[in-house]
């Protein structure tokens, strides 16, 4: 018998981090039910390559699950899901921040109705701070956190780590948060909210999703992450070429991958016409995920990092460290002790 047999997990998630968290629980024996909109998880289309019409990236994080299709724009489907969650132990979701609240499926509503539910939200920038409502993809968070600036050749441009290391790491932390929630529920009888906080070399880009990388502007590099066809249509409109969304070369992600050099050449020329700040303002107003590439010192001093409380000072010291990337009931566990000195607690324990 696997350790999580008898536990039901409902996954309302797509792309990588949320589905990976749910897959970890599925591998441990949980009954994971993946909820997809009728057209499916965007990650299904992340390619080429494809295996029987599905992206290997999707196949990698969605094993051992059952799947259902729901149109959550339909009030009847939302009402069904609200009732069905009464049969679940854990909810894993990584939809756009605020979207489940708009549907009436936010944590306050669900925990009032289903008090034993463990509600796990996976967001790019956490649940508090000035960027809490900002959507995000792997390259954006690698850039924002300073990780991209630490990678690459000396004197060369910032370079993305090839694999989606932040998405995978976030998936693992979210699964750990869910497991901690299940243990806590055994003690208290109540659930809670847990929040998880991101081949050929492609520098800041991706070989399976286009455009999904850094671009030079008049004043420096920014990241643009048009991770699906809807976001690409928004990007095309912002840069003054709405017709690209219907151009057979660019109409689907697979087409954009096949025609990547041509598309990147067009975008690179356009992005050099304005400053980084001007483009980020325009892209954000148009609903396109984007952001600056930070150095590590810039990243840790950002208002978002301060608001999240992710940087904490060691007790009794003036040294700052990165805290746990999880929050429980909206509170990040504090660092309670500095690392021990050799033999510091011998008398206490021996």
């Amino acid at each position: 018998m696997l350790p999580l047999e008898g536990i039901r997990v409902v996954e309302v998630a797509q792309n990588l981090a949320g589905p990976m968290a749910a897959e970890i629980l599925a591998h441990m024996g949980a009954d994971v039910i993946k909820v997809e909109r009728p057209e499916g998880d965007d990650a299904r289309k992340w390619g080429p390559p494809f295996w029987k019409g599905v992206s290997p990236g999707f196949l990698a994080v969605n094993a051992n699950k059952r799947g259902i299709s729901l149109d959550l724009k339909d009030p009847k489907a939302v009402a069904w899901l609200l009732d069905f969650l009464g049969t679940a132990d854990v909810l894993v979701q990584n939809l756009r921040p605020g979207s489940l609240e708009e549907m009436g499926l936010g944590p306050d509503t669900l925990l009032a109705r289903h008090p034993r539910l463990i509600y796990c939200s996976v967001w790019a920038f956490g649940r508090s701070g000035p960027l809490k409502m900002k959507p995000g993809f792997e390259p954006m968070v690698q850039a924002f956190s300073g990780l991209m600036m630490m990678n690459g050749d000396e004197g060369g441009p910032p370079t993305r780590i090839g694999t989606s290391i932040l998405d995978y790491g976030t998936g693992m932390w979210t699964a750990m948060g869910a497991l901690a929630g299940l243990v806590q529920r055994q003690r208290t009888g109540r659930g809670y909210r847990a929040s998880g906080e991101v081949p050929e070399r492609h520098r800041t880009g991706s070989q399976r999703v286009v455009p999904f990388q850094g671009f030079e502007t008049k004043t420096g590099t920014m990241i643009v992450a048009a991770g699906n066809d809807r976001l690409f249509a928004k990007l095309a409109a912002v840069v003054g070429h709405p017709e690209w969304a219907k151009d057979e070369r660019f109409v689907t992600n697979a087409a954009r991958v096949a025609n990547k050099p041509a598309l990147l050449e067009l975008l690179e020329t356009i992005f050099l016409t304005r400053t980084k700040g001007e483009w980020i303002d325009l892209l954000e107003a148009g609903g396109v995920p984007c952001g600056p590439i930070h150095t590590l010192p810039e990243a840790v001093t950002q208002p978002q990092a301060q608001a999240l409380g992710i940087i904490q000072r060691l007790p009794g010291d003036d040294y700052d460290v990165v805290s746990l990337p999880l929050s429980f009931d909206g509170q990040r566990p504090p660092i309670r002790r500095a690392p021990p000195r050799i033999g510091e607690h011998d008398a206490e324990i021996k």
Side-chain angles (χ1 to χ4, degrees):
M1 183 175 181
L2 293 171
L4 293 185
E5 285 187 22
I7 297 295
R8 171 169 287 173
V9 177
V10 174
E11 174 200 316
V12 185
Q14 61 176 357
N15 301 330
L16 284 182
M20 181 175 183
E23 187 189 53
I24 291 171
L25 302 176
H27 287 331
M28 295 179 181
D31 175 23
V32 175
I33 298 171
K34 183 178 179 72
V35 178
E36 296 183 77
R37 59 178 187 273
E39 58 269 35
D41 185 330
D42 286 329
R44 290 180 179 273
K45 304 173 186 175
W46 283 1
F50 294 105
W51 176 260
K52 298 181 179 179
V54 179
S55 165
F58 177 86
L59 298 174
V61 293
N62 284 287
N64 283 336
K65 302 177 184 178
R66 296 191 288 166
I68 62 173
S69 173
L70 280 181
D71 181 0
L72 294 181
K73 296 179 181 177
D74 181 352
K76 291 182 179 178
V78 173
W80 181 89
L81 182 58
L82 179 60
D83 286 339
F84 183 71
L85 284 167
T87 71
D89 298 282
V90 176
L91 169 67
V92 176
Q93 73 91 12
N94 72 343
L95 302 189
R96 174 181 55 82
S99 58
L100 283 187
E101 284 83 352
E102 293 166 6
M103 299 174 196
L105 297 173
D108 292 336
T109 300
L110 285 183
L111 293 176
R113 180 155 178 176
H114 307 306
R116 289 178 53 81
L117 183 68
I118 312 299
Y119 191 113
C120 297
S121 294
V122 184
W123 293 329
F125 295 97
R127 67 181 299 275
S128 59
L131 301 182
K132 66 180 180 181
M133 301 303 289
K134 187 179 177 72
F137 288 94
E138 174 79 21
M140 289 176 60
V141 184
Q142 284 198 25
F144 191 89
S145 66
L147 189 59
M148 200 175 284
M149 196 63 99
M150 299 169 64
N151 197 37
D153 298 329
E154 183 177 358
T159 303
R160 174 185 167 170
I161 294 175
T163 190
S164 295
I165 187 172
L166 299 181
D167 276 328
Y168 291 127
T170 298
M172 289 188 284
W173 278 108
T174 302
M176 282 188 270
L179 294 172
L182 291 168
V183 172
Q184 179 73 354
R185 191 181 68 179
Q186 281 189 313
R187 297 173 177 165
T188 67
R190 296 185 62 83
Y192 66 71
R193 316 176 205 184
S195 302
E197 306 239 2
V198 288
E200 176 188 355
R201 292 186 65 196
H202 291 259
R203 289 192 177 176
T204 58
S206 165
Q207 66 185 41
R208 296 198 308 266
V209 187
V210 177
F212 208 67
Q213 65 181 72
F215 291 94
E216 290 297 323
T217 70
K218 275 186 175 181
T219 56
T221 311
M222 66 176 180
I223 285 290
V224 177
N228 57 50
D229 297 339
R230 300 181 304 282
L231 291 174
F232 178 73
K234 292 180 179 181
L235 171 63
V238 170
V239 300
H241 290 278
E243 72 278 6
W244 287 355
K246 297 182 180 179
D247 188 320
E248 64 180 12
R249 298 174 299 165
F250 310 139
V251 68
T252 66
N253 181 70
R256 293 191 294 277
V257 170
N259 294 283
K260 181 177 180 178
L263 177 57
L264 295 188
E265 183 178 356
L266 292 169
L267 288 172
E268 286 164 357
T269 301
I270 291 171
F271 285 135
L272 285 171
T273 63
R274 295 179 184 266
T275 68
K276 178 170 61 175
E278 288 170 339
W279 276 121
I280 288 175
D281 288 344
L282 287 169
L283 291 165
E284 287 186 340
V288 180
C290 63
I293 297 180
H294 287 143
T295 64
L296 191 57
E298 288 172 339
V300 299
T301 56
Q302 288 295 305
Q304 183 65 26
Q306 302 301 313
L308 289 173
I310 192 71
I311 306 299
Q312 295 188 15
R313 183 145 295 186
L314 290 177
D317 205 334
D318 59 358
Y319 191 82
D320 292 336
V321 295
V322 178
S323 182
L324 191 71
L326 286 174
S327 296
F328 299 105
D329 285 335
Q331 300 296 316
R332 190 178 308 282
I335 294 177
R336 301 184 299 277
R337 293 177 185 261
R341 300 183 301 277
I342 296 175
E344 179 179 353
H345 302 104
D346 281 358
E348 178 182 323
I349 296 172
K350 289 183 177 179

